[in-house]
Amino acid sequence: KKSFLDRTPQDKVTLESFFKSESDLRLATGALYGTPWFDFNDKSILVLGDAMAGNLSRTNFVSYSTFAVNSSDARINEAWRSLYKIIAYCNLNIIYITQNTDPSVSAIAKNNAIGELRFLRGTSYFYLVQYFGEVPIITDNRTLAEQPQVNKHLVKDVYRFIIEDLKFASQNLRTVIDKGRVNKWSAEGMLAKIYLTRSGLKDNGTGTGTGQRDVALLDSAKKYAGDVCNNSGLKLLPSYADLFKIENNNNEESLFALQFIASPNSYGLGNSTQGYYAAEGKLTNAGDGYGAANTPSIDIYNKYDVKDLRRKATFMQNGDFYPELLKKDGGYRVTDERPHVKKYVVGTNEDNPGQVYSLSTSSAAYMLRLADVYLIYVEAILGNSPTTSDADALKYYNLVRARAGLDLKTLPVSKADVLVDRQLELAIEGQYWFDLLREHDINPAQTISKIGAQNRGRLTFNSATNVRVNEDQFSTPTDASFKLPYPLADLTTNPLLSQPAVPYYK
Amino acid sequence: QAVQKTVRGKVTSSDNIKDAIPGVSISLKGKKTQLAITDGTGNFVVKVATGDVLVFSYIGAEAKEVTVGSQDVINVSLVTSINKLDEVVVVGYGTALRKDLTGSVSSIRADDIAKSAATTFDQALQGRVAGVVINTNSGQPGGGISVQIRGVSTLGGNQEPLYVVDGVFYGGDVNGAIYTGGSPGTNPLATISPSDIESIDILKDASATAIYGSQASNGVVIVTTKKGKSGPPKVSIDASYGIQQLPKYLPVMELPEYAAFRNVRDVLNGAVPNPLFADPSVLGPGTNWQKAIFGTAPVENYNLSVNGGDGRTTYILNAGYLSQDGIAVKSDFKRYNVRLNVETKATTWLKLSANISGNRINENINNQDGNLVQLAIRQSPDIAVVNPDGSYGGPSSPLFTLTNPFALTEINTNTRTRSEVYGSAFADITFLKDFVLRNEIAVNYNFGQIEQFEPAYQFGQFPKTNSFGRRGTTAYNNNTFRTYLTYNHTFASKYKLNGTLGHESRLNTSSFVDATATGYFQTTNSELNLGDPAKATSTSGKSQQAIDSYYGRFNFTYNDKYTLTSTVRYDGSSKFSPDNRWNFTYAVALAYRLKQENFLKSVDFISDLKLRVGYGLVNNQNIADYVYGTSYRTTQTALGLGVLLDNVPNPDAKWETTKSSNVGIDASFFKDRLQFTVDAYYKNTDNLLNSLSLPLYSGTTPQDQFTVAKLNAPTKNIGSIVNKGIEFSVNATNIKTKNFSWTTNITLSRNLNKVTSLITENTNLPQYLGTDIVQQVAVGRSIGEFYGYIADGVFKDGADLTNSANQGTIGVNGVWVGDIKFRDINGDKVIDSKDLTYLGSPLPKFQYGFTNTFKYKAFDLTVFFNGNYGNKIFNQLKRTNEDLQSGFGLLQSVNDYARIGLKDPSGSATDINNVYITNPNTTVPRISTSTLNGNNRVSSRYIENGSYLRLKNLVLGYSVPFKIVQKVKLGYLRVYGNVTNLFTITDYTGYDPEVGSRFQNAQSAGVDNGRYPSSRTYTFGIYAGF
């Protein structure tokens, strides 16, 4: 019987009355593709993934492009807390769905939901371990109330945990496309990337340093990437530039993307990337467009072939014309002596009705797409050789190149070429830093000198003559630069982060 | 020769001439027979003979003797306030005589309140009660306050005492932080007009508060409104008019200084200087935005009261109006209130009473904290408030610039309206001699409305492209039902017994509806239907809290010498899971009046001496609802509706308990001319309930903080806090002659706060400002101590830089001469998180108030000082506006930035051995394109001394002589002038050292983030009546 003192919430649903149907499970998992990721997507992902990696010039984010990031940096704090927030939501939902789902819900549906959560959790840990190395593995956030201070865990255990999550996901997620959500192919693609990264690490968490990767792990990477390439039936979107238009959110090529919804008033629901990267206010007409200082590095610019369609889709330069931007003016003609970011710049609310507000667009943000998996597959086939004559490698590499408008390569496929294409294909998607990291694991000295040789300066096209002028700038990282410092806030509250990592698996 | 004659006269109170005293007994000296008694207006008629000595006596007043001479009129003024022994004190579910009190209770009376010319009653309390700390969190009219009684004994969001107004638990669970959809919280107590208040009794120790058990751990403030007195109708009028102004403007750069600074910075940074700044000397002073948004503002206050009654029924009707404009333009506060209190002795065994009050508050909070005030300090001086063509000024670029704060006050709307009905009604049934059964209902219904509109605009090049409108309503209902039985009997005229036994149940319900629109096609009207329906949003919410309680109190007094009080209460709260729901409160206290001992009876200079000791346990349940369970809330997602986990649950959360002991002495000397009270206490709070501030990897955020996609942290019993302290109050009548008197009142409180345990030994609870930790709660320290680096000035030269601990890569774009040098606490030659340390406490070491009142004939002068000593303030305004990389206006202190000189002028500026600082004692770093030094990290650079001494009130009054007053048919007339906050002596460089706390939470106390400053007010007013 209900007593005078029983006052359960009337504007929330309690756990006891939730998870009664598959639709309830979907409501809980669907909420974790968007706004909980906001703080990560807001600034951190591109600053860490592109500015630090040298895709952007040193004009902005100087402490990143000069490898002088300290623990009080806000971007580190945002990445850390946002990824751990995803983990918290996933952890608790995994526990509750496991324990509280009504028996009428099918095991397939229940495992699919847990698969989604374990995909999101494993992926978050994958980002964390790449940025920070040893991190605490937390699986039940309720225990932190009792013991807030936790040890960080060994890198090999973090990877083992991640792989277990993604394996569960790949075995339990459905194969059918469920727009905006992850499926079996998403999990296999991510798993391939994880195996490829793990293959360059020793069990003590440092890179092999020998130029060699673990063959068994490489085979796993190859197996999962190959399954996606050969058996998923998925295809690349024909036009590279179309990938970043709002109308193509969650197209066939998208394996995992953050889901945003433009909102004029609710902070944190939308994708803020356009607001920070659009070169001028006119482009967005939303009171944002803070991107004047964000220009491409000379390094990446030098790598674009003149035929490469990806350049114009990634960076806008003087003279470029974009019919999809500022449609009411008949399109946008760039008149700016410096190139700026185009990717994720979608224009005004008039160009995209209801989809653009200040620091808020509806662009889904790619975390994993098919082209990335193609190139992972090629990299896994290459394995420990500088070149390969594998037909699959050539096929998938050329699928990516063909779409970019480039000449097709012939056998053998070289790893050096593939890495350049990865940089260009995935620029301004927060991924290049991880490629450098993966290379540094196996070839530290070579990677440091490669980065040291990257021209991180900016370039200018003379407005009258269109002659290009470079302002050269170089920065050389050290081995220590390949791990970011833990955020000061948590170093302060948890001295154990400064202590050696402990095993997670006993 | 004695002449028989008839003498008339009037008896009034010496402290408040408004109050004629009815019921004064008049007798002849040496005889017991009463000759007469004053009527309802204090008038009397007696037949006497010349030479007779009349004795005027009245409970609670000093008896006065007057010898009858030739006069036919004898007006007598009785001193009513000095002897407090017979004062009636409200103790919760009953009253007690002060002489019988065993607990620590401080009281404020109507005339103290009248003296302070306060617009809300908390202002009348400030600095006047020992052990009670009141901080204004915002100087906005009707703005939020925080009240702490005997230190901070809880960590949760609510550290405020329980307010009980005529039996109504006021404002509800979070003291009426009634949802108004805005920040800062408005002051729920602002709906009470100070003129309506008869007394405020503050229960401080456990033996006093235990009767309120469930919510008493922060102390209890009982407010009793005025009641009618029998007699013909008496009318009184209060009216005042005042002018408020900002006492101090922050020194910001004027345009020539700003231009010169920007030129230097642009050259150093290799940027092109602004051509308009080419010659700073020809520039005018530019815009001081503070002067644009702060101005002189009026405050008006009117109260009218009628009271009267007969032997059976008494009534009082009060009506009041307050209109206060804020010193920041477009902020104001209007209060309308009506109150009717009626009491009737229906039959010999039945007494009925009803107190009903209706209030309405209209607030304009357009110009509120953390918003326009900060903007006004930050905006650059080179932008005009209004352009010559009449348009609003704005920056010349849309990006990396700030909007026009003055224009926003003009075009935006942000109002709150509250309508409130509250009151109580009871029936006292004396069904048997000495037994009274009270049945009481107390209710509070509060309805709020929110109207907000921000049209799209363009100021200069600064656009706001989305208009925004909001409408909201809030409803709050609090119903309390109580039944209690009181037994009162004196046996053998020595053994006084008093017992109370009762039950109470309370239910709060609050709900809101909130709707927004955007995409308005015009800027005149703001109703939501004029916006774009496709982007409109709506939401609503509802919550309930219930408490059920049983209580009893037993009082026994022997021979006026010993009094024993014991209290027990048993509470159940909906906040806890069924297993942890019910909890006991208890207290026991003893008072011993030494004066009643024979050896002191003959000691004349001691008028009274009483010793009090008490011990008890009280509880606290002030946490968010349903934290013991798990709930989900809805959220918008691109995939359609989403449901997001709301909190990390803790089914084990249980009541927070505070055990406290109190020892007090009340003493008075020289016929009560000197009164002295001292109390020492020790409070130990266990099972502190708090929404945990966990490390970031928990993914959770405490209940009171904002973040995107928030997962509420678990609420948990996490540790213990000890508060110990000592409080003094002294009342002294220094001089008292026929025409002149001088009285002094001093209060002094010292509280030591210490966290004695947290979940685990090394746990610290951080308090964030953005992503930075500024404060921490740690074992062995007081709550919310500041935490950061110690700044040791700037690096003076290359040797200083290379010999100091490593702060990062040395270089012009790294760490360089002129950057802030941080102290290497652990001596490892590296500055990192191990060098963070505690930088001081926002809690004062002691607080004081002293009032001197002088009376000369009809003139009176009250001078009231108050202050804090020994607290620190984190000046976040300085941190924001002393940041050399800022593109906006800056504080004048920036002019002293570290200037880099070259030892060899022809040498390199990048040679570390060739550079030095020409003003090495500065605390402001160098100008740089990019420094990797983190010059503005949280450090002692922003910690300032918060001690202050303030002339809080200066009142000069004149009571017009009765002879004159009579001619205009008035009973009395007093005129006065009052200055509030006349001056403040402090080293603090911000607006006001009385900073308060950001979330009404001691963990975040003492951070000055640009709160709305308190005003200086000049008031002129009258009291009149007949």
Side-chain angles (χ1 to χ4, degrees), chain B residues 361-649:
Chain B
I361 289 205
N362 297 335
E363 279 179 285
N364 184 348
I365 57 170
N366 201 12
N367 192 338
Q368 61 177 271
D369 271 306
N371 182 348
L372 298 185
V373 176
Q374 283 176 55
L375 200 50
I377 297 163
R378 255 194 133 186
Q379 181 59 289
S380 320
D382 59 335
I383 295 166
V385 177
V386 178
N387 294 319
D389 65 3
S391 62
Y392 293 116
S396 55
S397 155
L399 301 171
F400 307 106
T401 51
L402 300 174
T403 185
N404 181 331
F406 174 80
L408 290 188
T409 67
E410 298 259 299
I411 66 167
N412 288 350
T413 312
N414 194 354
T415 60
R416 300 286 185 272
T417 310
R418 278 184 277 165
S419 305
E420 185 180 56
V421 176
Y422 74 96
S424 58
F426 66 77
D428 275 354
I429 304 166
T430 311
F431 61 90
L432 198 64
K433 187 173 178 296
D434 298 334
F435 286 91
V436 180
L437 180 70
R438 174 170 292 195
N439 295 285
E440 184 169 355
I441 173 170
V443 298
N444 182 359
Y445 300 137
N446 190 316
F447 302 95
Q449 273 181 300
I450 297 163
E451 278 197 31
Q452 209 176 337
F453 183 51
E454 297 166 7
Y457 62 79
Q458 175 137 358
F459 303 144
Q461 291 300 308
F462 193 100
K464 178 181 162 71
T465 48
N466 292 308
S467 49
F468 172 70
R470 162 188 250 164
R471 293 292 181 273
T473 63
T474 62
Y476 171 83
N477 297 335
N478 164 358
N479 295 303
T480 307
F481 299 91
R482 50 175 81 93
T483 305
Y484 60 94
L485 179 67
T486 308
Y487 173 72
N488 230 324
H489 191 79
T490 306
F491 299 92
S493 70
K494 261 187 194 175
Y495 308 96
K496 205 155 74 179
L497 192 63
N498 173 286
T500 304
L501 202 63
H503 169 257
E504 175 178 280
S505 60
R506 173 178 174 194
L507 177 64
N508 295 340
T509 316
S510 45
S511 61
F512 69 89
V513 178
D514 190 66
T516 70
T518 186
Y520 287 84
F521 66 92
Q522 45 79 59
T523 58
T524 322
N525 293 321
S526 65
E527 289 308 316
L528 303 182
N529 61 321
L530 299 171
D532 176 1
K535 285 286 167 185
T537 69
S538 66
T539 185
S540 74
K542 200 173 200 179
S543 69
Q544 295 188 335
Q545 302 88 32
I547 297 179
D548 204 18
S549 317
Y550 301 87
Y551 52 87
R553 178 173 53 207
F554 172 81
N555 257 303
F556 175 70
T557 303
Y558 169 67
N559 214 6
D560 267 0
K561 197 190 287 178
Y562 303 104
T563 304
L564 175 80
T565 308
S566 56
T567 311
V568 65
R569 182 165 167 138
Y570 186 53
D571 286 298
S573 164
S574 63
K575 302 269 185 174
F576 301 103
S577 74
D579 293 344
N580 298 311
R581 200 159 266 171
W582 289 87
N583 198 22
F584 273 108
T585 296
Y586 59 81
V588 59
L590 190 68
Y592 172 31
R593 283 184 72 202
L594 282 86
K595 178 66 186 171
Q596 300 295 92
E597 295 287 0
N598 287 332
F599 62 88
L600 277 184
K601 275 188 176 161
S602 55
V603 182
D604 274 351
F605 76 93
I606 299 177
S607 341
D608 194 33
L609 184 62
K610 183 165 86 170
L611 182 70
R612 291 176 277 110
V613 290
Y615 176 79
L617 175 147
V618 291
N619 303 292
N620 188 7
Q621 51 105 45
N622 268 328
I623 51 173
D625 297 338
Y626 201 61
V627 295
Y628 64 87
T630 306
S631 53
Y632 282 80
R633 64 175 192 266
T634 57
T635 181
Q636 241 182 314
T637 85
L639 305 173
L641 178 70
V643 172
L644 204 53
L645 183 63
D646 191 64
N647 67 317
V648 177

Side-chain angles (χ1 to χ4, degrees), chain A residues 13 85 93 148-149 289 494, chain B residues 399 632 643 696-697 708 716 762:
Chain A
V13 53
K85 185 187 291 179
N93 278 310
Q149 294 179 3
N494 182 12
Chain B
L399 301 171
Y632 282 80
V643 172
L696 301 171
Y697 51 69
V708 168
K716 198 177 150 49
N762 292 320

Side-chain angles (χ1 to χ4, degrees), chain A residues 5-7 11 13 15 27 35 68 81 85 89 93 141 145-146 148-149 269 289 354 357 488 490 492 494, chain B residues 399 535 541-542 544 574 581 630-632 636 643 646 696-698 708-710 716 759 762 771 787 833 932:
Chain A
L5 297 175
D6 281 327
R7 302 283 162 182
D11 52 10
V13 53
L15 176 59
L27 291 172
T35 169
R81 75 174 133 96
K85 185 187 291 179
Y89 278 125
N93 278 310
N141 297 62
E146 297 300 329
Q149 294 179 3
L269 289 180
Y357 297 95
L488 181 63
D490 278 10
T492 309
N494 182 12
Chain B
L399 301 171
K535 285 286 167 185
K542 200 173 200 179
Q544 295 188 335
S574 63
R581 200 159 266 171
T630 306
S631 53
Y632 282 80
Q636 241 182 314
V643 172
D646 191 64
L696 301 171
Y697 51 69
S698 69
V708 168
K710 180 172 166 186
K716 198 177 150 49
I759 316 167
N762 292 320
T771 58
Y787 191 69
S833 62
L932 300 177

Side-chain angles (χ1 to χ4, degrees), chain A residues 74-344:
Chain A
R75 302 295 90 79
I76 289 180
N77 182 304
E78 288 156 2
W80 175 271
R81 75 174 133 96
S82 176
L83 292 167
Y84 267 114
K85 185 187 291 179
I86 299 293
I87 290 167
Y89 278 125
C90 292
N91 284 339
L92 293 167
N93 278 310
I94 289 167
I95 295 167
Y96 296 149
I97 289 175
T98 305
Q99 293 173 354
N100 290 59
T101 301
D102 194 275
S104 66
V105 177
S106 75
I108 292 171
K110 186 170 156 181
N111 285 333
N112 186 73
I114 295 173
E116 281 182 87
L117 297 167
R118 291 188 72 171
F119 176 95
L120 296 171
R121 179 172 74 177
T123 301
S124 299
Y125 274 121
F126 182 43
Y127 275 89
L128 284 168
V129 75
Q130 289 178 95
Y131 289 139
F132 300 98
E134 295 159 339
V135 293
I137 299 174
I138 293 158
T139 53
D140 183 351
N141 297 62
R142 296 174 298 186
T143 61
L144 292 172
E146 297 300 329
Q147 183 46 272
Q149 294 179 3
V150 293
N151 284 103
K152 56 189 186 182
H153 291 108
L154 298 173
V155 167
K156 67 168 178 159
D157 285 1
V158 179
Y159 271 103
R160 185 173 152 193
F161 184 87
I162 293 168
I163 287 168
E164 283 176 8
D165 265 355
L166 268 299
K167 272 198 168 157
F168 180 92
S170 70
Q171 287 154 9
N172 289 283
L173 284 169
R174 291 167 172 139
T175 52
V176 291
I177 290 183
D178 187 348
K179 258 199 169 205
R181 293 169 181 260
V182 293
N183 57 24
K184 174 189 169 74
W185 311 116
S186 316
E188 289 197 342
M190 192 61 78
L191 200 48
K193 203 169 187 172
I194 293 161
Y195 271 119
L196 183 64
T197 308
R198 176 68 179 89
S199 71
L201 294 171
K202 292 190 287 193
D203 276 356
N204 70 2
T206 61
T208 62
T210 58
Q212 300 293 301
R213 299 173 187 277
D214 182 282
V215 175
L217 295 171
L218 272 175
D219 283 348
S220 295
K222 191 169 134 186
K223 179 181 99 182
Y224 286 109
D227 198 34
V228 177
C229 296
N230 296 316
N231 302 326
S232 69
L234 299 173
K235 291 192 187 63
L236 297 185
L237 198 70
S239 155
Y240 183 82
D242 285 352
L243 280 171
F244 305 96
K245 292 178 176 163
I246 291 174
E247 64 257 37
N248 294 319
N249 277 351
N250 305 320
N251 59 73
E252 192 177 329
E253 182 175 342
S254 176
L255 291 174
F256 172 39
L258 306 183
Q259 305 296 315
F260 290 109
I261 178 165
S263 168
N265 300 318
S266 300
Y267 181 76
L269 289 180
N271 187 340
S272 52
T273 302
Q274 148 158 309
Y276 293 122
Y277 286 87
E280 54 175 330
K282 182 170 115 179
L283 269 171
T284 69
N285 193 32
D288 56 8
Y290 300 105
N294 298 325
T295 61
S297 68
I298 294 165
D299 174 67
I300 193 168
Y301 238 67
N302 287 344
K303 288 178 178 155
Y304 284 113
D305 186 289
V306 284
K307 292 183 189 164
D308 197 331
L309 300 170
R310 293 175 300 198
R311 199 281 299 152
K312 191 184 163 199
T314 312
F315 297 109
M316 51 173 69
Q317 86 182 31
N318 198 27
D320 283 350
F321 181 73
Y322 295 95
E324 76 271 26
L325 301 179
L326 306 188
K327 285 176 199 158
K328 74 167 181 180
D329 301 341
Y332 178 67
R333 172 80 62 190
V334 182
T335 51
D336 189 335
E337 52 184 20
R338 296 208 177 97
H340 284 100
V341 173
K342 166 64 177 71
K343 201 175 269 189
Y344 290 120

Side-chain angles (χ1 to χ4, degrees), chain B residues 256-336:
Chain B
E257 289 171 292
Y258 177 72
F261 172 81
R262 290 295 292 254
N263 289 342
V264 172
R265 190 171 76 180
D266 286 341
V267 169
L268 279 174
N269 289 352
V272 183
N274 185 341
L276 297 171
F277 292 171
D279 182 1
S281 66
V282 302
L283 298 170
T287 303
N288 184 329
W289 288 93
Q290 295 174 81
K291 294 198 169 148
I293 71 155
F294 290 115
T296 301
V299 51
E300 305 169 62
N301 193 5
Y302 306 99
N303 282 286
L304 177 72
S305 161
V306 184
N307 87 86
D310 54 23
R312 201 181 269 274
T313 304
T314 58
Y315 66 89
I316 184 167
L317 178 66
N318 283 331
Y321 169 68
L322 167 72
S323 166
Q324 182 178 12
D325 282 3
I327 50 173
V329 292
K330 294 292 166 80
S331 59
D332 57 55
F333 178 91
K334 286 188 170 62
R335 177 181 63 216
Y336 308 83

